Amino acid sequence: MSTLPQQLSEGLQHLGLDLSASQQGQLLEHLALLAKWGKVYNLTAVREPESMLRLHLLDSLAALPPLRRHTGGAATRVLDVGSGGGLPGAALAIAAPELSVTCVDTVAKKAMFITQVAAELGLKNLRAEHARVEQLQAAPFPLITSRAFASLVDFVQLTRSLLAPGGVWMALKGQHPAEELSALQAAHPDIEVFHVEPLTVPGVDAQRCIVWMRPHN
């Protein structure tokens, strides 16, 4: 049986992500903190480290290559909505130092946990906000993401005022959300879904995709 570091290394290789030993160490530390505080802060229903690695960390990191393709690897401010245990926000901040990631969650304990992760791992590019996203006071973001946060309609509606001109939404979803896409078109005909991108997560035998959206010009 391969060790957790080996599984992480193989998973990153599969995703085409070349991370330093230090970054891989930080990802494993994040995983350890999730395992340690998961129950106390109600961060995740998954408790077993190997499952957490696949279903949380690698699942979050699968979004990084498409994200970087969009940004061209440039420094970008990212808002992660309903971040919970920092997924994908903290994982993206570790793996992509060019990103400045703000995680917002309505649950104080979860925001506190992300603040703790940023402090313990020395992540200057990660911060947490305890707020309802629709009440968040912040400069608009070029990229807003979420993973298992809300329907596409609610996601767009609640975060629209926080999207910078020319910005995009990147919603991480399971299987192709046909019903949500229809509802989005009905509720927000001025929003363009310009790509539904299938993702493959190493070790996860389930459908994953990114729904890319932006306001019509």
Side-chain angles (χ1 to χ4, degrees):
M1 183 69 178
S2 57
T3 64
L4 217 53
Q6 284 173 320
Q7 289 174 45
L8 175 61
S9 179
E10 287 162 13
L12 293 171
Q13 204 172 356
H14 184 93
L15 293 171
L17 292 171
D18 183 19
L19 300 192
S20 68
S22 161
Q23 286 171 302
Q24 292 187 43
Q26 286 176 315
L27 286 170
L28 292 169
E29 281 181 69
H30 180 208
L31 197 67
L33 289 168
L34 270 173
K36 180 180 178 183
W37 295 105
K39 207 167 187 175
V40 180
Y41 290 161
N42 192 25
L43 299 170
T44 167
V46 183
R47 297 276 185 259
E48 200 259 325
E50 279 83 4
S51 299
M52 287 170 72
L53 175 69
R54 293 193 312 275
L55 297 172
H56 288 329
L57 275 191
L58 294 176
D59 192 79
S60 294
L61 291 170
L64 183 53
L67 187 159
R68 274 191 167 145
R69 191 188 59 238
H70 172 77
T71 62
T76 305
R77 289 172 62 249
V78 176
L79 178 65
D80 176 21
V81 183
S83 189
L87 301 159
L92 294 176
I94 291 167
E98 77 275 11
L99 301 178
S100 176
V101 182
T102 299
C103 295
V104 61
D105 205 285
T106 55
V107 180
K109 284 195 294 189
K110 293 180 179 179
M112 218 159 59
F113 173 77
I114 295 165
T115 300
Q116 185 182 347
V117 169
E120 290 202 24
L121 274 54
L123 298 170
K124 302 269 193 286
N125 62 332
L126 176 67
R127 61 191 299 249
E129 293 279 0
H130 168 226
R132 296 181 70 84
V133 68
E134 63 272 30
Q135 293 167 353
L136 183 65
Q137 299 295 311
F141 293 84
L143 195 146
I144 301 179
T145 190
S146 74
R147 177 179 177 266
F149 163 64
S151 69
L152 294 175
V153 170
D154 289 346
F155 177 43
V156 164
Q157 205 158 300
L158 293 171
T159 61
R160 191 162 193 162
S161 64
L162 291 164
L163 189 72
V168 299
W169 287 282
M170 183 182 95
L172 309 187
K173 291 286 181 180
Q175 60 187 25
H176 188 285
E179 284 182 20
E180 285 189 42
L181 290 166
S182 298
L184 179 71
Q185 193 172 26
H188 300 288
D190 56 332
I191 299 298
E192 175 194 7
V193 176
F194 62 93
H195 191 23
V196 179
E197 179 170 4
L199 290 179
T200 304
V201 181
V204 176
D205 185 23
Q207 289 183 8
R208 295 286 190 270
C209 68
I210 296 176
V211 181
W212 292 95
M213 301 168 286
R214 63 188 166 210
H216 281 295
N217 292 331

